Amino acid sequence: MKNIFFLMTLLTVTLSFGQKTAPLLWKTVVEKISDTEYILSAEAKMDAGWHLYSQNIPAKSNLATTFVFDDSEGGFFLVGNTTEENGKIAEDPVLKAKVKFFESKAVFKQKIVLLHELKTINATVDFAAGNSSAISELQNLDLVFDLSKAVKFQKKAAVVSKKEGNEDQRGLFNIFIISFLSGFAALLTPCVFPMIPMTVSFFTKQSKSKATGIQNALLYGIAIIVIYVALGTLVTAIFGADSLNALSTNVTFNLIFFVLLIFFALSFLGAFEIVLPSSWLTKIDEKSQASGIIGILFMALALALVSFSCTGPIVGTLLVQAAGQGGWAPIVGMFGFSMAIALPFAFFAAFPGWLNSLPKSGGWLNSVKVVLGFLELALAFKFLSNADLVLQLHLLERETFLSIWIAVFAALTLYLFGKIKLAHDSPSEYISVGRLGFGILVLAFTIYLIPGLWGAPLQWISGFSPPKQYSESPYGLGSAAAETKTISSLPEGAEEGPNGITVFRDYEAGLAYAKKVNKPVLLDFTGFACVNCRKMEERVWTDPRILSHLNNDVVLISLYVDDKRPLPETEQFFSEITGEKLKYAGQRWSEFQILKYKTNAQPYYVLIDHEEKKLNQPTAYNPDIEFYNNWLEEGIKNFE
């Protein structure tokens, strides 16, 4: 970011058609995001009447614009695919078909991450141009990107595809919504709810006029948000915005948070209370008596500390979930949670008369806390399941996991119906309509889980429970299909995969078999603890058309990047990326994915031929069944 220079390598290409020429002017621009992250942009300008074809053109036309980045020295890897602008989809006058092309100007962008210092990156672009009467032959041009003259990265120029950007936004939006709802749940706990009248009393005494009261209430709400967001920022600063994502498949991480969530659950169920040192609370309370902004800030801090025994487990759970998302997720999560907490306090502080409409404190607050305890208990076993899946210990298989969840939600149902009483519950002669309704919903969910023991797909919890093949009876108890599969022969080196698909977990064995049966290879970069991988397998791969392709038209090779099986001593090697010795099978496949395909995302799907060349552009997580089916069929046709 020290030097801001434009690199414009002007390359003029003349396309000749008899007496007609179509000049294209190319320039390259490099944008620097950080010391290791860059965006490489290639811009083409055409004369009036000419158009340049998109990267996404039917293969048979051989007109697609294609970029190849030279990484023969292993100095960088690509992040995602090369992106392009929206362009125009219209009838091509020569092809007589609807295709995507660009008129006047086209900009293509590619994000990269450096593995060591480089001055330039070379690339080639294949492209074709046309006008109303003719199309050029496919042209080849060398491009040079000078990293030493990079311009400062501007957010508006970020090279993220529309689909990937939408997925990131949806992920953060989901974190915000979950956190916001969790904040309201925390508001209804016995540690927080009774503090609303105390807060209103404080601001009634502090405010000399209505305007001052509203102003103080707004400051109070903002102070609550700042305190919780600071916690999310601290977590991100300690672990790093991107490194949190790697924790989701880490065995130690998952075991620690299994124990932590069990601890939180027992606290909510009434076994004990998480209490901060009383000296902290006393000092903060003394400071909160001060007038003005200082008093308001300490009042907000007092709320956070006093309510910690109820909000602490929820905040901890949210940070655990956000850790799996990585990036801005901890900050967004704390913002959503604190906003839900702050809004009611600020509202009632500004308009104390509305306080009369609130329900009175009572036993129902403890019931909310207990319900949260049951939910924490169920969630804890997801983290234990992740560790078991990564280690492939088969201690918590699908049937065992579902049995635990059925028991937890059945107990919650009995509690809501008043059949189970806990230590801090208030005596009651009847249950409310709201509690009855919620109890019926939990009962319905419990009943929904039961068929999963016999092989039902359970798409409501897709990605949470272990996959069907990770069970004592992958085809369901007593299923005739299980007997049929048992006696059927599998190719050497293959095994049963998701949905009964024959799958190889060794690259060389799978490629050799594909050559033998003359089928293309579908590389599936996946992980045992990858939630989105399970969603694809359980929601997309189960479609009859896709399942038929996977069973009959391709050879599936699934490479698990979190596979902890140790490599034989003779197969262990040193990483070209980190220089560390790689001892596990998953490290081998992760290294292979980064070096070969310049990405480390999971799931990630690549269709290749027997020469290991891509048959079409790889794709990542996309639950659109039609898209995935079309993508498969495109690659299969290109192989034929």
Side-chain angles (χ1 to χ4, degrees):
M1 296 184 182
K2 296 179 181 178
N3 299 321
I4 301 179
F5 298 100
F6 275 102
L7 167 67
M8 299 196 306
T9 304
L10 303 181
L11 304 160
T12 303
V13 179
T14 302
L15 309 177
S16 299
F17 308 108
Q19 301 299 317
K20 297 184 178 181
T21 60
L24 268 73
L25 186 67
W26 286 85
K27 74 174 181 180
T28 59
V29 177
V30 181
E31 295 175 279
K32 184 175 182 179
I33 302 174
S34 67
D35 289 341
T36 58
E37 295 176 291
Y38 291 83
I39 292 172
L40 312 181
S41 299
E43 180 181 311
K45 290 186 178 181
M46 296 75 73
D47 279 358
W50 291 92
H51 54 255
L52 176 68
Y53 292 99
S54 163
Q55 298 176 98
N56 304 309
I57 295 293
K60 62 182 180 180
S61 68
N62 198 34
L63 299 174
T65 301
T66 305
F67 291 87
V68 177
F69 294 86
D70 180 14
D71 185 27
S72 55
E73 298 181 1
F76 65 93
F77 65 86
L78 307 182
V79 179
N81 299 322
T82 304
T83 63
E84 62 186 26
E85 297 172 316
N86 291 333
K88 180 179 181 181
I89 299 177
E91 186 86 9
D92 186 275
V94 179
L95 294 176
K96 305 299 183 185
K98 281 190 175 182
V99 295
K100 180 180 177 181
F101 55 80
F102 305 96
E103 295 177 321
S104 180
K105 186 180 76 169
V107 178
F108 304 88
K109 293 176 179 286
Q110 176 64 59
K111 183 177 180 180
I112 65 162
V113 174
L114 296 185
L115 301 176
H116 57 73
E117 187 175 354
L118 291 174
K119 292 185 178 179
T120 61
I121 290 178
N122 298 319
T124 59
V125 57
D126 295 332
F127 62 95
N131 58 21
S132 59
S133 60
I135 297 176
S136 75
E137 293 181 358
L138 197 64
Q139 305 293 305
N140 181 273
L141 188 67
D142 293 329
L143 300 175
V144 179
F145 298 90
D146 192 340
L147 303 185
S148 66
K149 297 181 179 179
V151 303
K152 185 177 180 181
F153 171 70
Q154 301 294 328
K155 287 187 176 181
K156 63 181 182 180
V159 58
V160 179
S161 69
K162 184 176 180 181
K163 180 181 73 177
E164 290 172 340
N166 288 341
E167 287 175 3
D168 290 342
Q169 290 174 7
R170 284 198 299 270
L172 291 177
F173 180 74
N174 290 339
I175 288 285
F176 176 82
I177 293 299
I178 292 171
S179 302
F180 190 77
L181 295 177
S182 299
F184 275 122
L187 189 69
L188 299 177
T189 58
C191 314
V192 183
F193 192 83
M195 293 192 67
I196 295 178
M198 296 170 55
T199 302
V200 173
S201 175
F202 171 83
F203 281 103
T204 301
K205 295 177 182 177
Q206 288 277 338
S207 305
K208 299 179 180 180
S209 66
K210 185 176 181 180
T212 305
I214 294 175
Q215 176 185 316
N216 289 343
L218 288 175
L219 287 173
Y220 181 60
I222 292 171
I224 294 173
I225 293 173
V226 168
I227 289 169
Y228 281 100
V229 170
L231 178 60
T233 305
L234 181 64
V235 169
T236 303
I238 292 173
F239 293 101
D242 298 318
S243 61
L244 281 169
N245 187 47
L247 293 176
S248 60
T249 59
N250 183 278
V251 173
T252 304
F253 170 88
N254 281 282
L255 291 176
I256 288 174
F257 279 103
F258 165 70
V259 174
L260 190 61
L261 291 184
I262 291 292
F263 178 77
F264 288 159
L266 293 176
S267 172
F268 269 163
L269 292 174
F272 51 83
E273 285 194 9
I274 305 172
V275 181
L276 292 174
S278 58
S279 58
W280 294 13
L281 302 178
T282 302
K283 290 181 180 179
I284 295 298
D285 185 60
E286 291 174 355
K287 296 289 185 181
S288 68
Q289 301 304 316
S291 59
I293 295 178
I294 298 299
I296 292 172
L297 290 174
F298 277 98
M299 187 69 182
L301 185 57
L303 168 67
L305 295 178
V306 171
S307 62
F308 183 78
S309 61
C310 289
T311 60
I314 300 175
V315 169
T317 304
L318 288 175
L319 289 175
V320 170
Q321 290 294 88
Q325 173 92 3
W328 289 86
I331 298 173
V332 172
M334 289 301 95
F335 178 70
F337 179 83
S338 60
M339 179 176 286
I341 292 283
L343 282 176
F345 275 89
F347 181 80
F348 286 112
F351 307 101
W354 288 87
L355 188 63
N356 295 328
S357 62
L358 279 180
K360 301 299 181 183
S361 301
W364 67 276
L365 291 176
N366 186 69
S367 299
V368 172
K369 192 176 177 182
V370 170
V371 169
L372 293 174
F374 277 109
L375 296 179
E376 295 255 348
L377 189 62
L379 183 61
F381 284 93
K382 168 58 183 169
F383 289 94
L384 183 61
S385 174
N386 284 347
D388 182 59
L389 282 165
V390 170
L391 295 175
Q392 291 288 285
L393 298 177
H394 288 268
L395 298 177
L396 194 60
E397 293 181 326
R398 183 178 174 87
E399 292 89 346
T400 308
F401 180 90
L402 290 176
S403 297
I404 293 172
W405 268 39
I406 290 168
V408 169
F409 285 103
L412 175 56
T413 302
L414 293 174
Y415 175 79
L416 291 170
F417 286 158
K419 302 301 180 182
I420 294 178
K421 296 286 186 181
L422 295 178
H424 300 291
D425 287 333
S426 301
S428 60
E429 298 179 0
Y430 62 90
I431 60 175
S432 66
V433 174
R435 182 166 177 167
L436 175 63
F438 187 60
I440 292 173
L441 288 176
V442 176
L443 175 60
F445 179 70
T446 306
I447 295 172
Y448 168 79
L449 294 176
I450 294 174
L453 297 173
W454 285 270
L458 304 182
Q459 291 198 8
W460 281 11
I461 60 170
S462 176
F464 274 86
S465 61
K468 290 175 66 176
Q469 70 269 21
Y470 194 79
S471 66
E472 297 177 13
S473 182
Y475 289 90
L477 299 177
S479 171
E483 299 177 6
T484 304
K485 272 291 181 186
T486 302
I487 62 175
S488 65
S489 59
L490 289 170
E492 184 178 355
E495 61 183 55
E496 289 296 326
N499 309 307
I501 303 166
T502 299
V503 61
F504 289 84
R505 284 175 58 183
D506 181 82
Y507 182 77
E508 288 77 14
L511 186 60
Y513 181 73
K515 293 178 180 178
K516 179 180 177 182
V517 297
N518 194 32
K519 293 180 180 179
V521 171
L522 172 59
L523 291 182
D524 166 33
F525 290 97
T526 183
F528 292 116
C530 171
V531 173
N532 284 341
C533 303
R534 301 294 85 76
K535 288 181 179 179
M536 290 293 291
E537 293 165 4
E538 296 171 11
R539 298 183 182 182
V540 177
W541 285 12
T542 52
D543 181 83
R545 296 167 299 168
I546 293 173
L547 192 59
S548 175
H549 288 313
L550 296 179
N551 277 320
N552 304 313
D553 302 324
V554 301
V555 173
L556 177 63
I557 302 178
S558 292
L559 304 176
Y560 289 81
V561 300
D562 55 2
D563 191 341
K564 297 300 182 183
R565 291 178 302 168
L567 291 169
E569 188 71 31
T570 55
E571 295 182 19
Q572 295 179 10
F573 62 99
F574 289 93
S575 169
E576 295 181 30
I577 301 171
T578 64
E580 297 178 358
K581 191 172 186 179
L582 304 184
K583 301 179 180 180
Y584 301 105
Q587 293 176 313
R588 175 188 179 187
W589 303 132
S590 180
E591 176 98 350
F592 172 69
Q593 182 186 7
I594 293 173
L595 294 179
K596 182 77 173 179
Y597 299 108
K598 318 305 178 189
T599 183
N600 61 351
Q602 291 88 42
Y604 193 72
Y605 306 104
V606 188
L607 277 166
I608 61 173
D609 61 17
H610 300 157
E611 303 301 320
E612 302 180 59
K613 295 180 180 178
K614 292 182 289 187
L615 294 169
N616 56 2
Q617 285 296 320
T619 186
Y621 172 72
N622 187 340
D624 186 332
I625 293 175
E626 286 300 322
F627 168 84
Y628 197 82
N629 183 64
N630 293 337
W631 176 80
L632 275 177
E633 291 181 348
E634 178 191 25
I636 293 168
K637 287 179 181 178
N638 291 344
F639 176 80
E640 296 171 352

